[in-house]
Amino acid sequence: MGVFDRVEKKLEGAVNGVFARAFKGDVQPVEITARLQRELDSEAKLLTRERRLVPNDFTVQLSSHDYDRLAPYSKMLNSEVIPQLNEYASNKGYIFNGPVTIDYELDESLPTGRFTVSSAAVAGVDASASSTQIRRASLVVEVNGIRHPLNPPGLVIGRGTEADLRINDPGVSRKHARINVSGEGDRLRLAIEDLGSTNGIVVDGQRVRHAEVSAGSRIEIGSTRLTITSPGHDV
């Protein structure tokens, strides 16, 4: 029995056939699973000879008809689909940046029975800063929705436990880069330096070893993007 057949039987058994009744002639859960697996294959990026990075954050866009039928079962569906994606990735030698998430959105332009998928590799982030510390900071570094205050003397970014801002991205070294912070208030001065990382750093589109940064600066390390911003302000 193939993996798609096993998924379909698990899904139907989990809810006593309700999926089969609800989706007859429409988008089937097994179709979504198959499409997500193809997304992993098409978006895989080579890290090493044995490892490839794949997306872990998915959005499935559905027609109005299919969305109304699928949305009530999305949590139950994901509880079956996500383990299958994890198993598929393991068998293929794929690496996720962080936990797999699947969201379902309405796209009224789609006809019944059609759906689209968008994806991204979103790294898990561990930053131990309170909301009060973030509000009091003049500037913060933001990554995947997580903000960390930028206060003197600065912070180390990396994948290892010794980093102040930990990013679970295979392309990030254990101690990848340091943002040095000096001054105070409106006179903060920031500079980022590479700590001998494997993949380097990119600031505003330019690969650098060392660069001054400020509010609005965009930094790329591995496959992760960071932004320097002011708390409560978008850039």
Side-chain angles (χ1 to χ4, degrees), residues 7 11 29 33 36 77-86 102:
V7 171
L11 291 171
T33 304
L36 294 178
L77 176 60
N78 285 351
S79 71
E80 299 293 336
V81 172
I82 290 175
Q84 295 298 323
L85 288 182
N86 285 324
I102 307 172

Side-chain angles (χ1 to χ4, degrees), residues 91-181:
N91 291 337
K92 299 277 284 190
Y94 294 155
I95 301 295
F96 292 120
N97 267 353
V100 175
T101 59
I102 307 172
D103 294 317
Y104 300 87
E105 293 183 354
L106 171 64
D107 184 344
E108 295 182 344
S109 67
L110 289 171
T112 297
R114 295 287 298 276
F115 66 95
T116 61
V117 170
S118 57
S119 65
V122 178
V125 180
D126 180 10
S128 55
S130 68
S131 57
T132 299
Q133 290 174 313
I134 293 171
R135 287 196 303 270
R136 289 178 177 175
S138 299
L139 293 172
V140 299
V141 56
E142 181 172 347
V143 51
N144 298 340
I146 304 296
R147 291 181 170 186
H148 194 91
L150 291 171
N151 298 317
L155 57 84
V156 172
I157 303 169
R159 186 166 45 85
T161 56
E162 63 270 36
D164 302 300
L165 179 59
R166 294 180 62 193
I167 302 177
N168 183 27
D169 179 338
V172 173
S173 298
R174 295 185 63 82
K175 292 179 67 175
H176 197 107
R178 178 188 291 114
I179 297 180
N180 297 306
V181 183

Side-chain angles (χ1 to χ4, degrees), residues 63-84:
S63 69
S64 178
H65 175 80
D66 290 311
Y67 180 82
D68 289 343
R69 290 174 178 267
L70 178 60
Y73 309 112
S74 58
K75 289 184 179 180
M76 188 180 300
L77 176 60
N78 285 351
S79 71
E80 299 293 336
V81 172
I82 290 175
Q84 295 298 323

